[in-house]
Amino acid sequence: MSIIQRKLFGGGFPLLNIVRRLELLPSATASLSTKAEPVPAGSGGSSQQQTRQSPNPPTITSGTERKSIVPPEYRFVYQEFLPDPKLEWRNPIREKLERMDMLDRRSNIDIPEFYVGSVVAVTSSDVHAVGKTSRFLGICILKEKCGLRARFILRNVVDNQGMEVSYDMYDPTLLKVEVLRLEKRLDDHLLYLRDALDEYSTFDLNMESEILPEGAPVPVNDIKVTLKPRPWFARWERHELQGVANIEEHTNEKKRRKAERVATPWEKYDLMKEYRKSIPEEEQKEIFAEVYSQLHQLELTRKKMKRKRTFVKPTKLA
């Protein structure tokens, strides 16, 4: 017998000696043993031995999932509440604080629903203007960015001169935002109106509001504009534009070959790129569930004020 075996059986190691002494105690043996012990049969007359088993963990049964009360069109109406999909720019704390500031700003000023292609009038404070306020009316040609950095651009032709004004949606200098014509266009942006005929960007500064029936869908204007000859603001032949009619008239064979060379038609099938450019649906539901109650209350207040404006109280009673 080797020296190590003698010490193991003779209790030479203090830790093994303690374990051997603990094994002599019945309570310690019961606590240290992990095997099931036989239990005497009950009074029912069963002669077979039963084993003591640990109780099974409670199983959580998921019932019918509760449907979300957030309308699905919120992701289009309040698109600026969704954060930037780029991971290097994500910050949950900053995003939550920005949403709180956006709701607080919306409680002070009515920011109605509008899209690219809608005719909007904005009244803002201007220390250099008469009356300290200025009002600009035009068609929305771009909506971009998210959070407190969300902005939109209005375009109009005044005195045969194209004018564009960029507004931050949550700028505290904005006093009033009016939607005079609510509609959509075929493209995500209308920047090509800079190179189109002036008639597509000309709107009367005293234009009256066109009220849609309550609950009616937003109409889509499928008009196709006519571009002026080159030079253009951008190479529109390289963009898949649906709202331009005569883009092929100003594109020669050389420019067409270059457009085909730099085209990437396979990107519309790239699911991972589309995933990186968007916010997952589960996260969208969490964000809008957080702000839904306040946004819904603001919508009810807006509808109530809209009914008051449309009702004209008679001056004389019959």
Side-chain angles (χ1 to χ4, degrees):
M1 185 179 293
S2 62
I3 300 176
I4 298 177
Q5 291 177 350
R6 291 177 184 176
K7 288 188 176 182
L8 285 174
F9 291 103
F13 294 117
L15 181 60
L16 294 176
N17 195 10
I18 294 174
V19 172
R20 287 178 59 189
R21 291 181 180 180
L22 286 175
E23 289 178 353
L24 299 178
L25 301 176
S27 60
T29 306
S31 61
L32 291 176
S33 177
T34 57
K35 297 181 179 180
E37 295 181 356
V39 181
S43 59
S46 175
S47 59
Q48 297 179 354
Q49 293 184 348
Q50 300 177 355
T51 56
R52 184 185 301 171
Q53 299 178 355
S54 59
N56 296 329
T59 58
I60 302 175
T61 59
S62 60
T64 58
E65 296 183 357
R66 183 180 178 182
K67 293 184 178 180
S68 176
I69 60 176
V70 181
E73 64 270 10
Y74 264 41
R75 58 192 295 254
F76 305 105
V77 180
Y78 305 103
Q79 192 173 5
E80 66 274 5
F81 279 89
L82 297 178
D84 195 290
K86 292 186 178 181
L87 295 178
E88 59 268 19
W89 291 352
R90 295 297 304 273
N91 190 332
I93 299 178
R94 176 183 56 80
E95 294 167 2
K96 188 175 182 63
L97 294 176
E98 283 189 355
R99 288 194 291 268
M100 295 172 59
D101 292 342
M102 293 160 67
L103 291 173
D104 185 43
R105 179 59 181 159
R106 282 182 173 267
S107 62
N108 296 324
I109 181 176
D110 181 20
I111 303 178
E113 171 189 3
F114 67 95
Y115 304 91
V116 172
S118 302
V119 181
V120 185
V122 178
T123 304
S124 60
S125 60
D126 187 0
V127 295
H128 304 290
V130 179
K132 303 300 182 182
T133 59
S134 63
R135 184 175 184 268
F136 185 79
L137 181 147
I139 182 173
C140 180
I141 63 174
L142 181 66
K143 285 184 70 176
E144 62 176 358
K145 298 184 179 180
C146 57
L148 294 176
R149 299 169 300 283
R151 72 178 187 119
F152 59 95
I153 299 177
L154 302 182
R155 177 179 173 82
N156 200 349
V157 177
V158 182
D159 296 335
N160 299 324
Q161 180 65 38
M163 300 181 61
E164 294 182 1
V165 181
S166 175
Y167 293 100
D168 290 334
M169 189 173 295
Y170 294 94
D171 189 356
T173 60
L174 299 186
L175 303 178
K176 190 176 183 181
V177 180
E178 306 171 80
V179 178
L180 305 180
R181 181 187 297 168
L182 180 62
E183 64 180 13
K184 298 179 181 180
R185 290 294 183 95
L186 299 176
D187 299 305
D188 296 334
H189 66 84
L190 300 179
L191 295 178
Y192 52 81
L193 290 181
R194 299 171 178 175
D195 299 318
L197 299 179
D198 293 344
E199 60 186 57
Y200 299 104
S201 303
T202 305
F203 299 92
D204 187 9
L205 296 179
N206 299 322
M207 177 180 176
E208 296 184 357
S209 176
E210 301 176 3
I211 301 177
L212 290 176
E214 186 175 353
V218 180
V220 179
N221 191 348
D222 57 353
I223 186 175
K224 294 191 176 184
V225 303
T226 303
L227 297 181
K228 300 176 182 178
R230 295 176 185 268
W232 290 341
F233 172 76
R235 298 169 179 172
W236 300 123
E237 71 275 2
R238 301 187 181 184
H239 301 260
E240 297 180 359
L241 301 177
Q242 303 179 15
V244 181
N246 64 333
I247 196 169
E248 293 294 335
E249 298 178 4
H250 305 286
T251 305
N252 53 26
E253 187 63 27
K254 181 179 179 181
K255 296 182 181 298
R256 192 177 294 107
R257 288 199 304 268
K258 286 185 178 180
E260 294 176 356
R261 192 181 304 121
V262 300
T264 55
W266 58 85
E267 287 188 354
K268 61 182 179 181
Y269 305 107
D270 192 347
L271 299 180
M272 288 305 300
K273 184 175 182 179
E274 186 67 24
Y275 177 79
R276 297 189 193 100
K277 290 170 57 179
S278 59
I279 302 296
E281 185 179 357
E282 296 79 8
E283 190 173 354
Q284 291 186 22
K285 291 181 180 180
E286 293 179 2
I287 293 174
F288 286 122
E290 176 186 343
V291 300
Y292 170 73
S293 59
Q294 300 187 42
L295 290 178
H296 183 62
Q297 187 65 31
L298 292 174
E299 286 182 354
L300 295 179
T301 305
R302 187 186 306 118
K303 291 180 181 178
K304 187 183 300 183
M305 296 300 296
K306 187 177 180 180
R307 296 192 193 101
K308 289 183 179 179
R309 289 195 298 266
T310 55
F311 175 75
V312 179
K313 186 177 181 180
T315 56
K316 293 182 180 181
L317 299 178

